Amino acid sequence: IFTAARALSGPARPPPSDQPDSAFEAKKLAAALANDPGLAEKVLLELPEDARKRIGLAWALTALEDEFSKADVNKDGTLSFEEFTRWGREVVQSGPSPDTTPPSNTQLWHHFLRCTVPFMAFGMVDNGLMVITGEAIDSSLGVLLGISTLAAAALGNAASNAIGMGAHGAIERTVARLGIPDPHLTLAQMRSSRAMLVKTSGGIFGVCVGCLIGMFPLLFMNKQRESVELVEGLDD
């Protein structure tokens, strides 16, 4: 494929007798790009800079020629002001053609990961801070003011939410450095029922797993409580 792209981007020359002609190479390249749209970017990156410029200019000129032929109603090779105005109004009224291509399974998986990991990190930080601050409030203000354990947990939840909102940007930047693939979904694909279901499922799964992981401070707190109760029992 890369060889075909370089051949198409270079100057026109007759193909050797032992190799297929450029038309056949173009068909193979077009078929490969149709099966894997992301391959176009890989092909362009493999080409020299001047070759990429020539290919981009050739595509742009082809599109301009097609639009000019549509605007030139009388086909005289000259575009009048009336023809240009009519063409512009038709383009504005028709608008861009909607993309009805459904998202692939790979795109949905990448979309799921991008929705899961940030919520997992947020749930872990939020629940972990709630446990720590709730325990600190219960053992200090709870004893001083005589508030219940549930009230201390509620205050700890408020504190953890405030800290979590402040650290939200840092969490997103950290997750972005993980290199999770971009699903490259179009606006229409993002609005599809499958993509929205994947987004909701990923968020729910991520925050549940994150909250479970965020409960790990309880492992140490329970041991501390048992030690304190043991000491108090010996004193009695």
Side-chain angles (χ1 to χ4, degrees), residues 123-124 127 207-216:
M124 181 175 60
N127 217 31
V207 76
C208 290
V209 173
C211 287
L212 292 176
I213 298 175
M215 294 173 62
F216 75 93

Side-chain angles (χ1 to χ4, degrees), residues 4 7-8 12-15 19-29:
L8 293 174
R13 55 181 180 272
Q19 295 182 3
D21 56 14
S22 60
F24 180 70
E25 292 284 351
K27 290 181 179 179
K28 290 200 303 181
L29 180 59

